[in-house]
Amino acid sequence: HFVSHSYHAIPAMIKLRRGKVPTVLSQAVMPALPSTPLRRFLYLAAWRTQFALLDCVIANSAATAAELRSLGCRTRIEVISNGVDLDTYRPASPSERQEIRKRLGLAADRRSVLFVGTIVKRKGLDLLITAFSLLASRFSDLDLLVVGPRPEDIRSFSPDREYAEQIERQVSAGRLEGRVRFVGEVDDAADYYKASDVFVLPSVREGMPNVLLEAFASGLASVVTPFQGLDSQFGTAGKQYLIADRDPEALADCLAILLLDPIRARELGATARRWAEANFSMEDTIRRYAGIYRDLTLPSRGRPARHEVRRESE
């Protein structure tokens, strides 16, 4: 079972195919095609070579499955959403939240906007920091928590080094030191969801982002930008989450709606929690993966045609 596309895996896939070992690829993020014609040609050739060596591709959203079809995948595709641990990621009671904030070093009289993810351009942290700078003077009790690698942790990774440096310059230019808190990588972000007031996903491109599922399960009101890969699996804008244009002013205004109306924020979070309970059970995700493994390793069950796409509801 390969968990991401890579042309480096093709020799191993050829060996597995020769040994008649069933092979599966999980595609978690919407593919991004190179801009130059030659690189695009080589990229597509590598994808199609890999597809031909697979018995099944697992896409975590219908949008990702459609994109794989457009890239030339004729192999069997199963759409299985990511699951979330609904016991770990859950709403906190007021007293529990207060204790968590104290443990995390968050002042009781301040509020927090939460971003969880790495510092790469497609995640849109630069957009969020610009939007936060517009909110900072309007909400003097507001901080931005960035959970994930700090900019200094990214500097050694090319090509993301320059983007990390850009983020640092933004914080400095906006005089946001102390208001933008780079938490660093954590083993478990569950407490940060419980401790925060609003979650933001400003991404450009995703598959099925676990961070959004975790925010939903935690009952945390969420704001997203219209990323490539956003579809009905996440519910409906205005019910399970709010959506803002990819514009700093629009994102700031959307966040302000929830910050000014805590009752609406709580209702949005509660609706999102119910959606997570109904659609993102970890047990169901594991059961469906196990079903595919059984299907591929028991020939007597019969395999679907290589071009068949199955949806989660089937």
Side-chain angles (χ1 to χ4, degrees):
H1 189 159
F2 295 85
V3 295
S4 65
H5 161 78
S6 171
Y7 63 87
H8 296 293
I10 290 176
M13 288 182 174
I14 292 173
K15 290 181 180 179
L16 290 169
R17 173 63 66 182
R18 288 174 177 169
K20 298 183 179 180
V21 177
T23 308
V24 177
L25 167 71
S26 291
Q27 183 61 34
V29 180
M30 295 286 283
L33 291 175
S35 56
T36 62
L38 178 58
R39 291 187 63 194
R40 182 185 295 257
F41 172 80
L42 295 173
Y43 182 92
L44 288 173
W47 268 102
R48 289 164 183 169
T49 299
Q50 192 171 41
F51 290 146
L53 295 168
L54 294 166
D55 291 277
C56 181
V57 178
I58 299 174
N60 56 14
S61 72
T64 300
E67 186 69 13
L68 294 175
R69 283 280 172 250
S70 74
L71 294 178
C73 181
R74 298 295 176 264
T75 302
R76 168 187 177 185
I77 296 180
E78 295 279 352
V79 179
I80 305 178
S81 68
N82 295 349
V84 62
D85 185 336
L86 295 168
D87 293 325
T88 299
Y89 296 93
R90 56 172 177 78
S93 67
S95 60
E96 182 185 10
R97 184 176 186 274
Q98 184 177 7
E99 177 156 343
I100 289 172
R101 287 186 63 84
K102 183 177 180 181
R103 185 168 67 248
L104 296 178
L106 305 175
D109 60 349
R110 299 193 66 78
R111 292 183 287 175
S112 304
V113 171
L114 178 66
F115 170 93
V116 182
T118 191
I119 301 177
V120 295
K121 194 166 185 178
R122 73 175 176 85
K123 294 289 186 181
L125 182 57
D126 57 318
L127 171 66
L128 176 54
I129 290 177
T130 302
F132 180 76
S133 69
L134 300 176
L135 290 170
S137 58
R138 189 174 174 186
F139 298 93
S140 60
D141 65 338
L142 188 65
D143 297 320
L144 172 60
L145 302 180
V146 179
V147 176
R150 298 181 179 92
E152 57 265 32
D153 300 328
I154 301 293
R155 289 192 196 125
S156 60
F157 296 98
S158 180
D160 301 319
R161 179 177 61 250
E162 291 184 4
Y163 183 68
E165 292 170 350
Q166 174 190 332
I167 294 298
E168 290 180 307
R169 289 194 298 270
Q170 275 188 275
V171 172
S172 178
R175 298 181 180 179
L176 297 173
E177 296 92 342
R179 302 283 301 272
V180 177
R181 176 177 170 180
F182 292 100
V183 173
E185 294 185 86
V186 298
D187 292 331
D188 186 352
D191 280 352
Y192 286 94
Y193 293 103
K194 293 182 177 78
S196 299
D197 296 274
V198 183
F199 171 77
V200 187
L201 181 69
S203 290
V204 175
R205 178 172 50 85
E206 293 284 348
M208 174 161 279
N210 285 328
V211 292
L212 185 56
L213 308 191
E214 291 165 358
F216 278 15
S218 301
L220 181 58
S222 301
V223 174
V224 308
T225 54
F227 57 86
Q228 182 187 6
L230 179 63
D231 67 15
S232 60
Q233 280 182 287
F234 301 99
T236 304
K239 292 184 178 180
Q240 281 73 33
Y241 59 89
L242 297 187
I243 191 165
D245 290 339
R246 292 196 59 77
D247 172 82
E249 290 80 8
L251 182 54
D253 288 344
C254 199
L255 288 167
I257 289 172
L258 297 176
L259 293 168
L260 291 169
D261 191 347
I263 294 176
R264 183 176 182 184
R266 285 195 296 272
E267 290 174 347
L268 193 70
T271 303
R273 169 68 189 189
R274 290 192 293 271
W275 186 265
E277 290 173 340
N279 295 278
F280 303 128
S281 162
M282 181 67 76
E283 290 76 13
D284 185 58
T285 297
I286 292 171
R287 178 185 60 78
R288 295 208 64 225
Y289 268 90
I292 290 172
Y293 296 152
R294 284 195 302 269
D295 186 55
L296 293 177
T297 55
L298 297 174
S300 62
R301 293 173 62 91
R303 299 183 189 176
R306 290 175 63 82
H307 66 275
E308 181 180 342
V309 180
R310 290 186 177 182
R311 295 297 304 271
E312 290 186 273
S313 58
E314 296 180 348

